[in-house]
């Protein structure tokens, strides 16, 4: 995909369990930071008029490798696919290029005032389809 955003993660002491590993809930918050960074970048690219809010409706995460306190990790985020009203993100927590965790998230474009889902803006498709 054309737009991939890599977000460096600042590990916090509270992220660590009694074994010295980053716990799974903290890893979900790392993915959330990656999503926030990704959509900020996407919205900057497409312009204010197409900064459509999104809502998470499904998430699946695989934990592949333990992350230890002090390791420098980052989250990579890109759009895997675009539907009519939804986008599927693929995210990975990486340590020196090695995948520690991966997550697939379905996000629905949402109109807050009407309280309903809306179509994905065409400008998003153009950003994702350009290579």
């Amino acid at each position: 995909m054309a737009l991939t955003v890599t977000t460096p993660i600042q590990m916090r002491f509270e992220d660590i369990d009694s074994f010295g590993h980053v716990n799974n809930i903290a890893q979900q918050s790392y993915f959330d930071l990656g999503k926030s960074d990704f959509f900020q970048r996407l919205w900057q690219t497409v312009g204010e008029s197409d900064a459509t809010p999104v809502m998470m409706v499904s998430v699946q995460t695989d934990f592949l490798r333990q992350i230890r306190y002090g390791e420098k990790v980052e989250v990579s985020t890109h759009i895997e696919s675009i539907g009519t009203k939804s986008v599927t993100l693929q995210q990975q927590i990486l340590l020196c290029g090695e995948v520690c965790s991966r997550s697939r998230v379905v996000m629905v474009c949402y109109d807050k005032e009407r309280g309903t889902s809306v179509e994905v803006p065409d400008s998003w498709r153009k950003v994702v389809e350009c290579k």
Side-chain angles (χ1 to χ4, degrees), residues 49-77:
S49 63
D50 282 340
T52 304
V54 290
M55 176 185 300
M56 185 167 46
V57 296
S58 177
V59 63
Q60 177 186 355
T61 303
D62 297 314
F63 302 98
L64 307 171
R65 176 200 181 278
Q66 295 177 356
I67 302 170
R68 299 189 191 291
Y69 181 70
E71 293 181 321
K72 303 292 183 199
V73 293
E74 59 189 10
V75 175
S76 173
T77 305

Side-chain angles (χ1 to χ4, degrees), residues 9-110:
I9 299 298
Q10 179 182 1
M11 195 176 292
R12 300 163 300 189
F13 186 73
E14 68 183 27
D15 297 345
I16 309 306
D17 64 19
S18 61
F19 299 106
H21 306 131
V22 174
N23 69 53
N24 294 355
I25 293 171
Q27 290 185 51
Q28 290 299 106
S29 70
Y30 295 175
F31 286 128
D32 285 346
L33 288 169
K35 283 189 280 296
S36 294
D37 196 17
F38 178 85
F39 280 104
Q40 285 291 1
R41 197 84 52 90
L42 175 65
W43 294 331
Q44 287 172 356
T45 302
V46 299
E48 189 68 30
S49 63
D50 282 340
T52 304
V54 290
M55 176 185 300
M56 185 167 46
V57 296
S58 177
V59 63
Q60 177 186 355
T61 303
D62 297 314
F63 302 98
L64 307 171
R65 176 200 181 278
Q66 295 177 356
I67 302 170
R68 299 189 191 291
Y69 181 70
E71 293 181 321
K72 303 292 183 199
V73 293
E74 59 189 10
V75 175
S76 173
T77 305
H78 70 272
I79 293 178
E80 178 180 277
S81 63
I82 297 182
T84 303
K85 296 183 177 183
S86 67
V87 296
T88 300
L89 298 179
Q90 177 68 40
Q91 296 186 279
Q92 298 178 327
I93 297 176
L94 302 167
L95 173 64
C96 299
E98 180 183 357
V99 179
C100 301
S101 303
R102 64 179 171 234
S103 185
R104 177 172 283 123
V105 182
V106 178
M107 309 284 291
V108 172
C109 291
Y110 191 73

